[in-house]
Short mmCIF file of all heavy atoms in Angstrom, two decimals:
data_model
loop_
_atom_site.label_atom_id
_atom_site.label_comp_id
_atom_site.label_asym_id
_atom_site.label_seq_id
_atom_site.Cartn_x
_atom_site.Cartn_y
_atom_site.Cartn_z
N GLY A 127 -4.52 -17.76 17.08
CA GLY A 127 -3.97 -18.88 16.33
C GLY A 127 -2.45 -18.97 16.47
O GLY A 127 -1.84 -18.20 17.22
N SER A 128 -1.86 -19.91 15.77
CA SER A 128 -0.41 -20.09 15.79
C SER A 128 0.15 -19.85 14.40
O SER A 128 -0.44 -20.26 13.40
CB SER A 128 -0.05 -21.52 16.23
OG SER A 128 -0.54 -21.77 17.53
N THR A 129 1.30 -19.19 14.35
CA THR A 129 1.96 -18.91 13.09
C THR A 129 2.36 -20.21 12.38
O THR A 129 2.93 -21.11 13.01
CB THR A 129 3.23 -18.07 13.32
OG1 THR A 129 2.83 -16.80 13.87
CG2 THR A 129 4.00 -17.84 12.03
N ASP A 130 2.02 -20.31 11.12
CA ASP A 130 2.43 -21.46 10.30
C ASP A 130 3.83 -21.15 9.77
O ASP A 130 3.99 -20.46 8.76
CB ASP A 130 1.43 -21.65 9.15
CG ASP A 130 1.74 -22.88 8.30
OD1 ASP A 130 2.90 -23.33 8.30
OD2 ASP A 130 0.83 -23.36 7.59
N GLU A 131 4.84 -21.68 10.48
CA GLU A 131 6.22 -21.35 10.14
C GLU A 131 6.60 -21.83 8.73
O GLU A 131 7.38 -21.19 8.03
CB GLU A 131 7.19 -21.95 11.16
CG GLU A 131 7.00 -21.42 12.58
CD GLU A 131 7.37 -19.96 12.74
OE1 GLU A 131 7.96 -19.38 11.79
OE2 GLU A 131 7.06 -19.39 13.80
N ALA A 132 6.03 -22.95 8.32
CA ALA A 132 6.33 -23.47 6.98
C ALA A 132 5.81 -22.52 5.91
O ALA A 132 6.49 -22.26 4.90
CB ALA A 132 5.72 -24.86 6.79
N ALA A 133 4.62 -21.96 6.13
CA ALA A 133 4.06 -20.99 5.20
C ALA A 133 4.90 -19.72 5.16
O ALA A 133 5.12 -19.14 4.09
CB ALA A 133 2.62 -20.65 5.58
N VAL A 134 5.39 -19.31 6.33
CA VAL A 134 6.25 -18.12 6.39
C VAL A 134 7.51 -18.35 5.58
O VAL A 134 7.89 -17.52 4.74
CB VAL A 134 6.59 -17.76 7.85
CG1 VAL A 134 7.66 -16.67 7.90
CG2 VAL A 134 5.34 -17.31 8.60
N GLU A 135 8.17 -19.47 5.80
CA GLU A 135 9.43 -19.76 5.10
C GLU A 135 9.23 -19.87 3.59
O GLU A 135 10.04 -19.36 2.81
CB GLU A 135 10.06 -21.05 5.65
CG GLU A 135 10.65 -20.90 7.04
CD GLU A 135 11.63 -19.74 7.15
OE1 GLU A 135 12.51 -19.61 6.28
OE2 GLU A 135 11.48 -18.94 8.10
N MET A 136 8.15 -20.52 3.19
CA MET A 136 7.88 -20.68 1.76
C MET A 136 7.67 -19.31 1.10
O MET A 136 8.15 -19.05 -0.01
CB MET A 136 6.64 -21.56 1.56
CG MET A 136 6.29 -21.81 0.10
SD MET A 136 4.92 -22.98 -0.09
CE MET A 136 3.55 -21.97 0.49
N ASN A 137 6.97 -18.42 1.81
CA ASN A 137 6.67 -17.12 1.23
C ASN A 137 7.85 -16.15 1.33
O ASN A 137 7.97 -15.24 0.51
CB ASN A 137 5.40 -16.54 1.84
CG ASN A 137 4.16 -17.17 1.25
OD1 ASN A 137 3.75 -16.82 0.15
ND2 ASN A 137 3.58 -18.13 1.95
N ILE A 138 8.73 -16.37 2.30
CA ILE A 138 9.98 -15.60 2.35
C ILE A 138 10.81 -15.93 1.11
O ILE A 138 11.40 -15.05 0.48
CB ILE A 138 10.76 -15.89 3.65
CG1 ILE A 138 10.11 -15.16 4.83
CG2 ILE A 138 12.23 -15.49 3.52
CD1 ILE A 138 10.72 -15.47 6.18
N GLU A 139 10.84 -17.20 0.76
CA GLU A 139 11.57 -17.62 -0.44
C GLU A 139 10.97 -16.99 -1.69
O GLU A 139 11.68 -16.48 -2.56
CB GLU A 139 11.57 -19.15 -0.56
CG GLU A 139 12.42 -19.67 -1.70
CD GLU A 139 12.43 -21.20 -1.78
OE1 GLU A 139 12.00 -21.86 -0.82
OE2 GLU A 139 12.87 -21.71 -2.83
N LYS A 140 9.63 -17.02 -1.79
CA LYS A 140 8.94 -16.42 -2.94
C LYS A 140 9.23 -14.91 -3.02
O LYS A 140 9.52 -14.37 -4.09
CB LYS A 140 7.43 -16.64 -2.84
CG LYS A 140 6.97 -18.04 -3.15
CD LYS A 140 5.45 -18.12 -3.03
CE LYS A 140 4.94 -19.52 -3.28
NZ LYS A 140 3.46 -19.61 -3.10
N LEU A 141 9.12 -14.25 -1.86
CA LEU A 141 9.33 -12.80 -1.83
C LEU A 141 10.77 -12.46 -2.18
O LEU A 141 11.04 -11.48 -2.88
CB LEU A 141 8.98 -12.24 -0.44
CG LEU A 141 9.07 -10.73 -0.27
CD1 LEU A 141 8.19 -10.00 -1.27
CD2 LEU A 141 8.70 -10.33 1.16
N GLY A 142 11.71 -13.28 -1.72
CA GLY A 142 13.11 -13.06 -2.04
C GLY A 142 13.37 -13.06 -3.54
O GLY A 142 14.14 -12.23 -4.06
#
Side-chain angles (χ1 to χ4, degrees):
S128 300
T129 297
D130 183 338
E131 298 292 350
V134 171
E135 288 307 313
M136 181 174 71
N137 282 282
I138 284 175
E139 185 179 347
K140 285 181 182 177
L141 183 58

